[in-house]
Amino acid sequence: MEKKLTILTYGCQMNVAESERMAGQLAKIGYALTDEIATADLILINSCCVRATAEDKIYGKIGELKKYKLQNPALIIGVMGCLAQKDGEELIKKSPHLDFVLGTARRGELPKVVESFESARKKFVDTSNVSGQIVEGEIFPIRAGSVSAFVPIMYGCNNFCTYCIVPYVRGRERSRRPEEIFAEIKNAVDCGFKEINLLGQNVNSYGKEFEKNFAQLLAEVNGIDGIERLRFMTSHPKDLSDELIEVMANGKNICEHIHLPVQYGSDKILRRMNRVYTVEKYLSLVKKIRAAIPNISLTTDLIVGFPTETEEDFQLTLDFLREVQFDMAFTFIYSERSGTPAANFEGKVDDETKHRRLNELMAVQNKISLEKNLQLEGTTVEVLVEGASKTDKNIFTGRTRTNKAVLFPHESERVGDLVHVKINQAQTWILKGNLETRD
Ligand code: SAH
Ligand code: SF4
């Protein structure tokens, strides 16, 4: 009989991609996905620990899962991903209803671990070799969507920004072999996916092992038949090359969007964060990108409340935002991660100040995002339709090439279609409009 699997995914797109691979691996040993957690035979938590808020949420969820175990003692519960890597054995000590914990570099062994637990029911923890070999095999993921496919091209990070736990829980940078990436993309295209999204913590340092850099890889992927749209993330400003900008400017399927996390807008804080660029350098990079790709949309990440942040640093960041004019920014309150250098820095910022600064930062950026979107009112944009809205099946959602979300009403199915939508209402986060042509 078919066994049922629920995967609870937390954190970034990389975790979404990893969960899709876990589903593919476990299908081979008889597990089919279900959203109905109460009926699952196996629950996997694919976890995140980039901020304390994520961690708290996951620990809360783990507590909640105990009731399912009491109802069904045969249920298996495993923890994977970044928090599994970070807390390892502690997880089972704190929550004895958990059955296994597998670290980020051990995902390849998941079917083996599940099968051996099924027969021996012996608790198991393995977080070894965090920078270890990428396990590939012939498994293709079971993807969550049907339009856009996430394809990891590298794992890990070597940058050691002083606030960040990622290099510790994901290990050193390792690139997937180009032929494996191409095979996966071709398979996704054959399955009908129109958009490919290449993923890595720092995609611009791809390929050190193979003498094929990211710009070359992107150019080759752009040449694969059947891809309508090609995206990638994340780019570290220090590694974004002129060659890449040129490939983007000339690659007809490469979308006009770069997510370029700046993290902060003052040199003092950037230096303490170990970001290895200055505000001036970042601004000149933006200028170069915009000169080569005039309709590019730029998004970023920012952290407020980093140790030693003064009001002056913060005002510099607001000025910086006004100068760059990002299309959108993801803003975070600094979260101390034990084991990172910044956890030992003096000059902690109090919670009230952190929250006030976050609100001010968001207010400044939201105004800019709205202004940018308002410029699109009355224009027609190309939208790749992703699905119907959850609340109204006659409202479809999709994205522009610049990665802006668009809503438009329509009666019949259009998922996977490229359509033209005339924008009649711009908001801070979304655009609304009407279908213009059928193509
Ligand atoms: N590799 C990517 C993303 C890393 S994590 C990059 O370098 O941009 C995603 C975002 O989480 C980061 O860009 C950063 O803004 C935020 N982040 C990381 N560590 C954090 C911390 N300790 N506190 C708050 N935000 C953090
Ligand atoms: Fe973390 Fe910095 Fe690496 Fe991004 S580049 S994952 S922020 S250490």
Side-chain angles (χ1 to χ4, degrees):
M1 211 180 73
E2 200 171 62
K3 294 170 283 184
K4 297 213 174 91
L5 161 70
T6 295
I7 307 183
L8 305 172
T9 306
Y10 294 84
C12 62
Q13 282 93 339
M14 185 58 96
N15 268 11
V16 175
E18 287 281 286
S19 290
E20 295 176 342
R21 303 168 109 70
M22 293 172 197
Q25 287 173 288
L26 292 173
K28 303 257 159 155
I29 59 162
Y31 281 91
L33 281 172
T34 176
D35 290 333
E36 284 172 47
I37 194 164
T39 65
D41 301 290
L42 168 61
I43 300 173
L44 285 183
I45 299 146
N46 191 8
S47 63
C48 169
C49 62
V50 77
R51 282 171 289 276
T53 42
E55 212 173 295
D56 295 345
K57 206 155 104 189
I58 295 165
Y59 271 107
K61 191 70 189 184
I62 290 174
E64 253 177 62
L65 295 182
K66 193 170 171 184
K67 66 169 188 259
Y68 298 111
K69 190 84 168 190
L70 291 174
Q71 283 160 14
N72 171 19
L75 169 68
I76 306 172
I77 311 179
V79 188
M80 314 274 300
C82 293
L83 185 62
Q85 184 66 44
K86 177 172 155 288
D87 287 359
E89 209 139 321
E90 266 311 288
L91 275 154
I92 294 193
K93 271 201 203 129
K94 280 189 195 153
S95 312
H97 58 289
L98 294 176
D99 297 310
F100 68 85
V101 176
L102 269 190
T104 53
R106 308 260 61 88
R107 201 246 310 136
E109 284 130 60
L110 177 62
K112 208 176 71 195
V113 169
V114 170
E115 280 183 323
S116 88
F117 191 85
E118 282 172 340
S119 56
R121 301 208 68 91
K122 188 168 175 299
K123 291 194 190 284
F124 183 79
V125 178
D126 186 358
T127 55
S128 63
N129 206 9
V130 66
S131 300
Q133 197 67 30
I134 302 170
V135 185
E136 294 282 355
E138 38 168 18
I139 289 147
F140 285 111
I142 296 178
R143 299 187 193 278
S146 57
V147 178
S148 180
F150 288 133
V151 177
I153 61 166
M154 61 192 298
Y155 295 98
C157 180
N158 290 352
N159 290 323
F160 291 95
C161 302
T162 53
Y163 50 81
C164 187
I165 193 94
V166 171
Y168 306 92
V169 292
R170 287 263 177 201
R172 294 300 73 70
E173 277 174 16
R174 288 144 288 157
S175 298
R176 289 180 73 201
R177 281 196 292 277
E179 54 278 20
E180 265 137 17
I181 296 171
F182 295 143
E184 183 174 337
I185 292 174
K186 284 181 183 139
N187 174 268
V189 171
D190 289 346
C191 294
F193 287 87
K194 302 275 172 66
E195 180 175 284
I196 299 294
N197 201 331
L198 305 178
L199 295 183
Q201 293 303 334
N202 181 19
V203 287
N204 290 285
S205 54
Y206 173 82
K208 301 246 160 72
E209 303 91 327
F210 319 116
E211 289 172 10
K212 186 190 286 289
N213 66 28
F214 180 62
Q216 291 160 341
L217 181 85
L218 192 68
E220 283 180 47
V221 176
N222 182 53
I224 296 177
D225 276 348
I227 301 178
E228 305 266 10
R229 289 181 172 188
L230 179 52
R231 303 185 184 280
F232 58 87
M233 71 186 305
T234 297
S235 296
H236 193 300
K238 78 175 164 49
D239 299 311
L240 197 141
S241 66
D242 292 354
E243 191 185 355
L244 177 69
I245 296 173
E246 202 186 312
V247 167
M248 285 190 78
N250 297 324
K252 102 173 171 12
N253 299 328
I254 306 172
C255 291
E256 293 78 16
H257 170 230
I258 302 184
H259 184 59
L260 194 63
V262 65
Q263 311 299 359
Y264 211 70
S266 100
D267 286 343
K268 181 196 95 186
I269 298 288
L270 284 175
R271 203 165 44 243
R272 296 204 170 145
M273 287 179 160
N274 190 31
R275 289 294 290 182
V276 302
Y277 51 80
T278 58
V279 166
E280 198 188 321
K281 262 263 188 64
Y282 188 96
L283 289 172
S284 71
L285 180 60
V286 167
K287 217 165 145 189
K288 201 155 60 174
I289 295 168
R290 285 192 170 138
I293 315 161
N295 51 345
I296 192 94
S297 123
L298 285 177
T299 56
T300 202
D301 292 346
L302 291 143
I303 299 174
V304 292
F306 189 76
T308 76
E309 176 192 65
T310 60
E311 202 52 37
E312 194 193 339
D313 294 317
F314 180 64
Q315 291 304 324
L316 285 172
T317 299
L318 297 183
D319 292 345
F320 173 83
L321 282 186
R322 292 185 189 104
E323 179 157 5
V324 180
Q325 301 275 308
F326 288 108
D327 288 81
M328 196 158 83
F330 298 90
T331 49
F332 307 108
I333 285 181
Y334 168 69
S335 171
E336 190 174 295
R337 306 281 68 206
S338 96
T340 62
N344 301 320
F345 287 1
E346 311 260 308
K348 308 234 181 302
V349 178
D350 65 82
D351 276 351
E352 197 190 321
T353 309
K354 282 180 178 170
H355 281 98
R356 175 184 51 81
R357 288 184 183 153
L358 180 75
N359 288 337
E360 277 184 46
L361 191 79
M362 282 165 60
V364 168
Q365 180 53 43
N366 286 350
K367 188 161 168 274
I368 296 168
S369 298
L370 179 62
E371 279 164 11
K372 289 229 147 195
N373 284 350
L374 282 170
Q375 290 167 15
L376 295 171
E377 278 190 357
T379 67
T380 298
V381 293
E382 185 201 83
V383 174
L384 178 58
V385 185
E386 285 170 10
S389 140
K390 284 197 184 87
T391 48
D392 182 347
K393 68 176 176 29
N394 292 327
I395 302 282
F396 282 87
T397 66
R399 286 185 180 268
T400 63
R401 285 177 63 96
T402 52
N403 210 30
K404 293 179 192 262
V406 179
L407 297 184
F408 65 93
H410 195 66
E411 309 79 45
S412 57
E413 182 68 39
R414 306 257 16 196
V415 174
D417 286 359
L418 276 176
V419 297
H420 288 101
V421 176
K422 183 156 186 187
I423 302 304
N424 53 32
Q425 196 193 350
Q427 298 176 353
T428 308
W429 303 101
I430 51 170
L431 303 168
K432 292 180 176 171
N434 289 308
L435 206 58
E436 193 160 72
T437 51
R438 279 178 162 266
D439 41 11

